Amino acid sequence: MALTREQMAQRVARELEDGFYVNLGIGIPTLVANYIPEGMDVMLQSENGLLGMGRFPTENELDADMINAGKQTVTARPGAAIFSSAESFAMIRGGHVDLTVLGAFEVDQEGNIASWMVPGKLIKGMGGAMDLVAGAENIICTMTHASKHGESKLLEKCTLPLTGAGCISRVLTDLAYLEIKDGAFVLKERAPGVSVEEIIEKTAGRLVVPDHVPEMTFVQ
Amino acid sequence: MAGFDKRVASYEEAMEGIEDGMTVLAGGFGLCGIPENLIAEIKRRGVKNLTVASNNCGVDGFGLGVLLEDRQISKIFASYVGENALFEQQMLNDEIEVVLTPQGTLAERMRAGGAGIPAFYTATGYGTPIGEGKEVREFNGRHYIMEEALVGDFAIVKGWKADRYGNVVYRHTAQNFNPLAATAGRVTVVEVEEIVEPGELEPSQIHTPGIYVDRIIQGTFEKRIEKRTVHGN
């Protein structure tokens, strides 16, 4: 079975470490915040200018002046800091964020990522994604392995305009967890019940398959 | 206006001097911390052919989105233009020139503009369409593209509190691009929720020192919420 969005978030959360500053993109990455392991302290950075994003507000706490980068109303946790967008991107570009998790349309075997436009169809803009991928050393890209029509999103070469070049080294899809190394995807883990053959079939880029590919496990 | 007293009495006076073809830097992120009354005054004046730099272009019918209705904006520097059907339509019809600019680059371009730095190098956008045609330099084995500063004929800013000297503090994440835009306007206009007596704002807590600010006005704000998310959703 392919991973659910929640399971993808759970798998990404295993990459968190105590004391990490983490930027979570919109979509599946946002859900990672729900799976921060008990007893682990992680600070969430929101690129509009908030370090220490808290949970969503109650009706009483709701405040138009308190939002995250997805424009959702949020709260600030104890220990939070708020600053300008220039300061925020100084943190990001300066490599001070420990882990960035973001979505993509396509990733290729050279670590290129495309996530911000589909020519002729969708032009919403890159927001902070280009700064994030340029600034972070440690990025996990989350996406479905293939499109609804079955076309692979893990390519030899991205076909869409890039968000960043050679910056992605880890990808979690609904089928597998992979690393990108020396011009190839390396299959590290597979979703429960998903065969290596299915992953091979749905990966258009060069894929290295080790002898043993462990299955991910999830506790309910 | 005497000495350092930056207060103006009306929104008309606040935007005095804005003309067709000018460049306007606007604070705000989404609908958070936007100078909504200054935008309304620009709409009222009907000035056209504006170049605007702002992270977003509001939504249909609110924020900078209202300036699209009468086609007052001919060019915009922005990082994200979703949530706005009229904008998308004008972009696809080539009625508005859009310079999509990465968010951090946009913030830094304003910061540089206010700080007297004409350009800077950033790795953001290298190897992407954003880097095309821009000067590339290598520092310590990594490639960077040159991005130029942005300066506005006007900067329109939303603050929380200010004193008559033009010292401004922002509230929560309504800070965003506001202090950056504030530094980079030839005329910087700040609208706030409250004008307080000099000395009431703690000097070490000022976000925008008054030297950057030309005009201050107190207003009332709708503060529309774009995505209302509450606990338990």
Side-chain angles (χ1 to χ4, degrees), chain B residues 4 6 160-170 190 192 194 196 198-199 201-203 206-213 216:
Chain B
F4 291 112
K6 314 267 173 99
W160 179 29
K161 293 179 182 179
D163 60 27
R164 63 168 165 273
Y165 290 88
N167 296 307
V168 183
V169 294
Y170 305 95
V190 184
V192 295
E194 189 183 358
V196 300
L201 300 175
E202 169 63 36
I206 303 280
H207 293 122
T208 295
I211 193 168
Y212 296 110
V213 176
I216 285 278

Side-chain angles (χ1 to χ4, degrees), chain A residues 75-97:
Chain A
T75 57
R77 54 163 274 179
I82 293 173
F83 32 81
S84 77
S85 298
E87 184 80 49
S88 182
F89 282 94
M91 289 170 199
I92 289 167
R93 253 189 263 100
H96 303 280
V97 174

Side-chain angles (χ1 to χ4, degrees), chain A residues 4 16 20 44-45 56 64 73-74 99 128 132 152 159 162 169 203:
Chain A
T4 63
L16 298 172
F20 259 20
L44 301 178
Q45 205 260 14
F56 291 137
T73 45
V74 290
L99 176 67
L132 282 160
S152 181
T159 61
L162 296 186
S169 55
T203 306

Side-chain angles (χ1 to χ4, degrees), chain A residues 11-33:
Chain A
R11 176 60 191 87
V12 171
R14 290 178 198 160
E15 303 300 317
L16 298 172
E17 290 180 30
D18 197 22
F20 259 20
Y21 294 102
V22 179
N23 184 291
L24 301 175
I26 292 163
I28 293 164
T30 305
L31 301 175
V32 175

Side-chain angles (χ1 to χ4, degrees), chain A residues 35-205:
Chain A
Y35 297 101
I36 297 169
E38 198 72 27
M40 188 182 281
D41 202 4
V42 167
M43 278 274 189
L44 301 178
Q45 205 260 14
S46 192
E47 60 266 28
N48 50 322
L50 168 61
L51 187 62
M53 180 168 64
R55 56 166 172 72
F56 291 137
T58 61
E59 289 286 346
N60 287 337
E61 292 166 331
L62 195 71
D63 188 333
D65 291 336
M66 195 67 222
I67 66 166
N68 65 16
K71 284 134 192 164
Q72 297 169 311
T73 45
V74 290
T75 57
R77 54 163 274 179
I82 293 173
F83 32 81
S84 77
S85 298
E87 184 80 49
S88 182
F89 282 94
M91 289 170 199
I92 289 167
R93 253 189 263 100
H96 303 280
V97 174
D98 297 301
L99 176 67
T100 292
V101 186
L102 79 177
F105 301 147
E106 296 175 347
V107 171
D108 72 26
Q109 63 195 37
E110 303 298 332
N112 298 318
I113 172 173
S115 65
W116 67 285
M117 82 175 280
V118 180
K121 280 189 188 163
L122 174 85
I123 324 165
K124 288 191 183 294
M126 69 293 287
M130 284 194 181
D131 304 278
L132 282 160
V133 298
E137 297 251 319
N138 192 6
I139 304 171
I140 300 175
C141 194
T142 61
M143 57 201 286
T144 55
H145 208 97
S147 74
K148 287 187 187 105
H149 313 292
E151 291 155 346
S152 181
K153 296 181 177 181
L154 275 58
L155 306 174
E156 189 182 335
K157 194 172 176 12
C158 287
T159 61
L160 297 170
L162 296 186
T163 308
C167 51
I168 304 298
S169 55
R170 296 196 280 172
V171 183
L172 176 74
T173 73
D174 54 342
L175 302 183
Y177 179 66
L178 311 100
E179 290 180 1
I180 300 174
K181 210 179 162 191
D182 303 326
F185 295 98
V186 182
L187 182 56
K188 304 298 279 188
E189 295 170 33
R190 58 201 167 87
V194 171
S195 67
V196 169
E197 288 68 32
E198 182 180 351
I199 295 165
I200 292 172
E201 186 198 327
K202 290 185 174 166
T203 306

Side-chain angles (χ1 to χ4, degrees), chain A residues 202-217:
Chain A
K202 290 185 174 166
T203 306
R206 198 155 79 88
L207 181 69
V208 174
V209 183
D211 290 342
H212 176 63
V213 182
E215 208 171 75
M216 293 174 209
T217 50

Side-chain angles (χ1 to χ4, degrees), chain A residues 57 59 63 65 73 124 134, chain B residues 81 142 171 223 228-229 231:
Chain A
E59 289 286 346
D63 188 333
D65 291 336
T73 45
K124 288 191 183 294
Chain B
V81 296
R142 198 164 177 211
R171 190 167 172 276
K223 290 208 206 176
R228 180 193 177 90
T229 42
H231 198 48

